[in-house]
Amino acid sequence: MKSTLRRRLPVAVILLSAPGALALGGLAALGHLAAEWALAGVALVVVAVFAILYPHFAHVEALRRYIEALRSAGASDPLPKPPSGRSPVLAPELDETVVETARERQRRRRELEAAITGNETILSNLPDPLIMLDRGRRIVRANPAAESLFGGNLMGRDLISILRNPNLLSAADAAVAGEDGQVVEFALHGEIEREFSARVVPLTTPALDGTVAILSLHDLTAARQAERMRADFVANASHELRTPLSSLIGFIETLRGPAREDGEAQERFLVIMHDQSMRMARLVDDLLSLSRIEMQEHTPPTGSASLQRTLESVARGLELKARARGIRIELSLPDLPPVVGEQDELAQVFQNLIDNAVKYGRTDSRVVVAARLADPASDPAARRIARPTAAISVTDSGDGIPREHLPRLTERFYRINTARSRELGGTGLGLAIVKHIVNRHRGQLTVDSETGRGSVFTVYLPLAEPYEGLDDMARKAG
Ligand code: ADP
């Protein structure tokens, strides 16, 4: 301010005082005015002009400083103080207009910055990778999902350096040239192969940063895997039904033809036919159970079930089958509170687990069914449920399960030895049913196994009500 005042004010004072000073000097030269009076007059004119100009210059300078402060203020900074005082020359409305314009500008800036921040947040949180391309197919921007998929540092690179699929590249070329957008499906080969659907669309008007087209990727891997699983499931189920059905058809034809008169063969065949029909019935029952449980899986059960009653009744039902193999089912059931759940579904879980232990256990051995309160401090599965939990384990002394099979054991129709499972009457769906019921009950299933020694299947279920003896029980269990 000082500099403007110092530079411009003296010049303006001199210029505006000059006509008066010249007139007074002329009068003195012509002898109409004494030189002292002329000098005094000039001094008076200068002082008067200065007195008029100073507040005007000071005000203009204050306005200039105000505008300068506005320019350097950020959108979130408070507005600088408007200039005080007034100019004898400028209209007072000018100040108001300047301040009003400044306020409006600040408001617009804030709106713009909020919109930009909002867009940035959306872009950053978008789970699908997004890449902006310029006219030369170079990457102008990429969101974090794209950076993490392709390893970061994408700016300025040609698209071909990260994606080599020829169809995708030609779709990108077309889009950056302003042609119609396209959808291209392709696979990314890495440690695990992933399938993507890519959509490349041109922008209606190029963005300021040079973006002319956007490439968005959508991961199809999970959906494709589900499609394949569904197709596999239908193929497996049909195959499982087809085998006993073919055998039944074969025997019926034999009974109607060559064995028509052979009473002994008929007896033998009918036993086999009965077994095959029972196998089909078991399979259909298991398929129906599975589909019913899957449909209910997203609605957790509301009732409560007594573990003791459920386990005792299931064990009793399997006693005959176990005895036939010389296996003793031992129950170790402390007085546990009820768990959240539906008695029938939980009975099916333990029926399948104890039945497997009997089927795959060694002859003349023991199957131990033990329930306890799980301690979250030492038990990760109990910790995952995050509320008081009962753990029920079924332990057999069978051949055990090789480690590599453990992750796939609960898949439908997954068996370690299909022939053996069929021979023992298995459908290959038992553990899939267990997994879905346990999921519905918001529980956990763990499998520990050692080949040659046996397996332990443990089901964790949340308790139905706060249990007063919990600490006590935990101490005993610990
Ligand atoms: P299955 O009807 O064949 O028994 P499951 O779904 O119940 O079908 O089990 C899948 C496979 O897991 C079985 O075929 C078997 O190979 C293996 N399995 C299940 N339980 C045990 C166990 N207790 N001991 C050894 N293997 C087991």
Side-chain angles (χ1 to χ4, degrees):
M1 170 174 175
K2 290 270 162 47
S3 64
T4 314
L5 273 179
R6 258 188 226 141
R7 265 191 286 116
R8 303 248 166 94
L9 185 60
V11 178
V13 170
I14 290 166
L15 282 176
L16 287 178
S17 308
L22 281 175
L24 286 168
L27 285 175
L30 292 173
H32 295 303
L33 194 64
E36 308 86 73
W37 283 108
L39 261 177
V42 169
L44 200 66
V45 168
V46 169
V47 169
V49 168
F50 179 85
I52 291 167
L53 286 188
Y54 181 83
H56 170 72
F57 267 69
H59 189 77
V60 169
E61 184 56 29
L63 265 180
R64 194 192 62 78
R65 283 215 300 170
Y66 175 67
I67 290 166
E68 198 66 40
L70 278 178
R71 269 172 45 192
S72 54
S76 48
D77 294 341
L79 276 177
K81 235 168 80 158
S84 55
R86 48 180 25 228
S87 153
V89 181
L90 297 179
E93 300 88 69
L94 181 70
D95 281 11
E96 279 159 33
T97 313
V98 170
V99 172
E100 202 42 55
T101 310
R103 277 203 198 108
E104 181 64 15
R105 177 176 168 273
Q106 188 84 335
R107 195 174 56 78
R108 292 248 166 101
R109 255 180 90 175
R110 276 186 193 150
E111 281 172 6
L112 198 66
E113 287 202 359
I116 292 172
T117 316
N119 289 344
E120 286 292 334
T121 314
I122 292 171
L123 208 62
S124 310
N125 288 293
L126 215 62
D128 284 345
L130 214 63
I131 292 171
M132 285 72 163
L133 300 171
D134 71 7
R135 226 173 272 288
R137 210 180 58 185
R138 276 179 304 271
I139 298 169
V140 180
R141 282 183 73 185
N143 71 344
E147 300 264 355
S148 87
L149 179 65
F150 297 109
N153 226 354
L154 301 179
M155 252 48 99
R157 282 164 64 180
D158 187 335
L159 187 63
I160 199 169
S161 69
I162 53 165
L163 288 167
R164 288 169 205 281
N165 182 281
N167 294 341
L168 177 59
L169 290 173
S170 67
D173 286 338
V176 298
E179 289 170 32
D180 286 347
Q182 292 177 49
V183 178
V184 177
E185 287 187 6
F186 67 98
L188 261 189
H189 308 281
E191 252 169 60
I192 2 164
E193 183 169 298
R194 291 169 73 180
E195 292 172 66
F196 283 91
S197 150
R199 181 183 286 272
V200 219
V201 280
L203 293 187
T204 40
T205 41
L208 284 179
D209 61 4
T211 303
V212 294
I214 295 182
L215 165 67
S216 65
L217 300 177
H218 181 60
D219 194 342
L220 297 176
T221 319
R224 285 286 147 82
Q225 203 177 349
E227 261 170 49
R228 271 193 292 272
M229 275 171 69
R230 205 169 16 246
D232 282 354
F233 174 66
V234 173
N236 280 330
S238 315
H239 178 72
E240 291 290 331
L241 284 169
R242 184 79 215 156
T243 316
L245 198 60
S246 305
S247 142
L248 279 176
I249 293 170
F251 281 116
I252 290 170
E253 277 166 9
T254 315
L255 285 176
R256 290 169 75 192
R260 188 188 281 272
E261 309 299 335
D262 186 346
E264 192 206 327
Q266 280 180 5
E267 269 310 305
R268 231 172 345 107
F269 291 170
L270 280 173
V271 171
I272 303 173
M273 287 169 75
H274 179 257
D275 283 352
Q276 298 296 349
S277 324
M278 291 306 287
R279 183 171 150 197
M280 286 176 75
R282 267 198 311 274
L283 193 66
V284 171
D285 281 350
D286 278 358
L287 285 171
L288 288 174
S289 290
L290 199 56
S291 92
R292 196 190 59 241
I293 296 156
E294 269 184 330
M295 276 195 288
Q296 292 173 339
E297 201 166 326
H298 51 277
T299 44
T302 47
S304 67
S306 151
L307 281 176
Q308 199 144 12
R309 210 169 323 130
T310 313
L311 291 166
E312 275 169 0
S313 119
V314 171
R316 219 175 301 123
L318 283 165
E319 224 162 63
L320 258 185
K321 184 172 180 179
R323 215 179 295 149
R325 303 200 66 229
I327 290 177
R328 209 173 59 244
I329 301 176
E330 287 181 9
L331 296 181
S332 162
L333 306 176
D335 188 17
L336 284 182
V339 292
V340 177
E342 274 173 30
Q343 188 104 19
D344 288 353
E345 287 194 0
L346 292 181
Q348 200 170 359
V349 166
F350 298 115
Q351 164 78 30
N352 291 358
L353 292 180
I354 303 173
D355 184 57
N356 277 351
V358 169
K359 267 191 325 205
Y360 302 109
R362 217 171 309 134
T363 45
D364 304 318
S365 63
R366 292 185 314 155
V367 165
V368 180
V369 181
R372 62 185 160 85
L373 280 180
D375 180 6
S378 59
D379 202 328
R383 221 167 18 248
R384 281 195 289 275
I385 296 179
R387 46 184 287 195
T389 306
I392 308 95
S393 56
V394 179
T395 309
D396 66 62
S397 342
D399 293 340
I401 302 163
R403 187 161 268 294
E404 66 271 20
H405 292 285
L406 291 180
R408 301 195 55 192
L409 223 51
T410 55
E411 284 176 25
R412 299 138 197 233
F413 298 116
Y414 188 84
R415 288 128 146 173
I416 299 165
N417 182 335
T418 307
R420 176 148 186 244
S421 153
R422 288 211 182 117
E423 187 186 293
L424 296 170
T427 59
L429 294 174
L431 289 181
I433 293 175
V434 168
K435 186 188 81 176
H436 284 287
I437 296 180
V438 172
N439 281 352
R440 179 175 180 231
H441 283 69
R442 305 301 183 252
Q444 295 275 322
L445 171 73
T446 62
V447 190
D448 289 311
S449 194
E450 208 180 316
T451 35
R453 296 198 63 131
S455 314
V456 186
F457 286 76
T458 308
V459 175
Y460 294 81
L461 295 167
L463 297 184
E465 55 205 50
Y467 184 55
E468 280 178 9
L470 195 65
D471 291 340
D472 208 29
M473 189 63 81
R475 230 175 292 121
K476 267 191 235 159

